[in-house]
Amino acid sequence: MAAILEVSGLKKAYKNFELKNVSFSIHEDCITGFIGVNGAGKTTTINALLNLIHRDGGIVKFRGKDISTDEKTFKDKIGVVFDSGCFYDELTIKDMTALLAPAYSEWDDHIYKQYLERFSLQQEQTIGTLSKGMKMKYALALASSHNAELLIMDEPTSGLDPLMREQFINILKSYIEPGGRAVFYSTHNTTDLDKSADMLIMINAGKILFEEEKDFLLEKFRVVKGDVKYLSPDIKSLMLHFEKSKYGFTGISDNASKIKSLYPDVLFERASIEDIMLAYVKEGE
């Protein structure tokens, strides 16, 4: 799969936080989830790669070309959705679109109107009267109506109900179906990624911890449970993180077969993305 976006050595320092040489790639035909707890650096990374904040260092390439040499072309070929919406609440959908559509060289009004119909949005609706879910649908309609090759989204499902999140996932799958496109979205709601993501990138305290295929990660890690009497130095060394109580211990390990050979009575369960993410965070602490 060809890389559509390459981020190398991204740096941004604030008084109490910094991005530390953030590097990753987004590939065609993939939905990539960008995960991490609140404050991990997801929004800062997205703002920095979009040049919405000044980067202290690093290179961002789109289709192999440094975006700093032609940022206009880069932004013409991407669609962006933010949790905040970034719309004027007093305008109608029609008026808001009239302001935004001319910015794109390949704006397709026919496709845009198809999205409005699909999402049950009316041109004369005022932005401020839309629910959070409807605003997200409107943002997706805008982002998907100018032949964008990459969707970049920051916490797009925050505050949405389960039905709306399921619809969102179906929209993303439909978007990448034609091929040659990609989706990159940040979230701390990892249950959505179980259903949608092909790749996962995790950031914590401004540093990338892993960049892996989702299915590989879920196959690699297991939840380990057992009596505290089994919590020997050997088993501790084979776990990414563990917690214990008077009832036993629970941990996360990518060495399940080794633990099983040492302690056959220990129990194993399939780990979720959230289990893995929290284990990395707690291990770092």
Side-chain angles (χ1 to χ4, degrees):
M1 294 179 292
I4 194 168
L5 187 77
E6 299 167 273
V7 180
S8 304
L10 197 63
K11 299 178 184 179
K12 179 63 181 178
Y14 293 104
K15 183 177 180 180
N16 298 312
F17 177 81
E18 76 174 301
L19 294 179
K20 305 165 186 174
N21 290 308
V22 167
S23 300
F24 59 84
S25 298
I26 307 301
H27 295 88
E28 287 183 345
D29 306 323
C30 281
I31 297 175
T32 300
F34 191 35
I35 63 174
V37 297
N38 287 336
K42 301 187 299 296
T43 296
T44 303
T45 298
I46 288 175
N47 286 341
L49 70 87
L50 290 173
N51 273 346
L52 297 178
I53 58 175
H54 174 74
R55 299 194 301 265
D56 296 333
I59 298 172
V60 179
K61 293 183 179 181
F62 179 74
R63 298 291 191 190
K65 296 182 179 179
D66 189 335
I67 68 166
S68 63
T69 63
D70 193 355
E71 186 176 349
K72 187 178 186 300
T73 298
F74 166 59
K75 291 189 174 178
D76 193 38
K77 283 295 186 180
I78 64 172
V80 180
V81 177
F82 291 110
D83 175 37
S84 57
C86 301
F87 303 127
Y88 296 120
D89 283 350
E90 66 275 14
L91 295 184
T92 64
I93 286 177
K94 181 179 180 179
D95 292 338
M96 189 74 238
T97 304
L99 286 176
L100 297 172
Y104 299 106
S105 65
E106 295 187 55
W107 178 262
D108 191 321
D109 206 53
H110 177 67
I111 291 176
Y112 167 70
K113 288 177 180 177
Q114 286 183 329
Y115 273 111
L116 291 189
E117 183 176 353
R118 176 182 178 183
F119 297 157
S120 300
L121 291 167
Q122 304 299 319
Q123 296 261 29
E124 300 308 319
Q125 286 179 280
T126 303
I127 302 291
T129 66
L130 301 178
S131 67
K132 186 175 179 63
M134 296 303 279
K135 285 182 180 178
M136 188 274 286
K137 285 183 174 181
Y138 175 54
L140 277 172
L142 291 171
S144 307
S145 298
H146 61 276
N147 195 31
E149 298 174 13
L150 171 64
L151 291 186
I152 299 176
M153 298 177 284
D154 188 23
E155 300 285 356
T157 61
S158 176
L160 300 183
D161 62 48
L163 178 60
M164 186 64 242
R165 296 206 311 271
E166 183 177 353
Q167 292 174 346
F168 168 79
I169 290 168
N170 291 333
I171 291 166
L172 296 189
K173 290 180 178 179
S174 296
Y175 168 78
I176 66 167
E177 198 171 73
R181 296 176 172 182
V183 173
F184 176 60
Y185 80 98
S186 72
T187 184
H188 59 267
N189 192 341
T190 57
T191 56
D192 294 336
L193 298 175
D194 286 313
K195 302 174 183 177
S196 64
D198 302 298
M199 295 288 297
L200 294 173
I201 299 170
M202 181 175 176
I203 188 170
N204 191 56
K207 182 180 179 181
I208 298 296
L209 297 189
F210 63 73
E211 179 179 355
E212 296 282 4
E213 292 184 18
K214 179 195 70 180
D215 291 342
F216 172 80
L217 275 174
L218 294 179
E219 186 62 34
K220 178 180 179 182
F221 286 95
R222 290 291 182 270
V223 176
V224 186
K225 295 181 178 181
D227 192 292
V228 289
K229 68 182 181 182
Y230 296 121
L231 204 51
S232 67
D234 285 341
I235 199 170
K236 289 179 181 178
S237 68
L238 295 171
M239 289 190 289
L240 176 63
H241 177 77
F242 68 89
E243 295 178 355
K244 61 180 180 179
S245 69
K246 62 181 179 180
Y247 301 107
F249 75 89
T250 300
I252 299 290
S253 176
D254 60 353
N255 284 285
S257 59
K258 179 67 173 178
I259 294 174
K260 187 69 174 176
S261 68
L262 293 173
Y263 305 99
D265 293 332
V266 169
L267 301 177
F268 298 93
E269 297 176 358
R270 187 176 177 85
S272 67
I273 296 171
E274 183 173 297
D275 291 329
I276 298 167
M277 180 181 77
L278 292 178
Y280 269 99
V281 171
K282 292 176 180 177
E283 188 270 342
E285 293 173 350

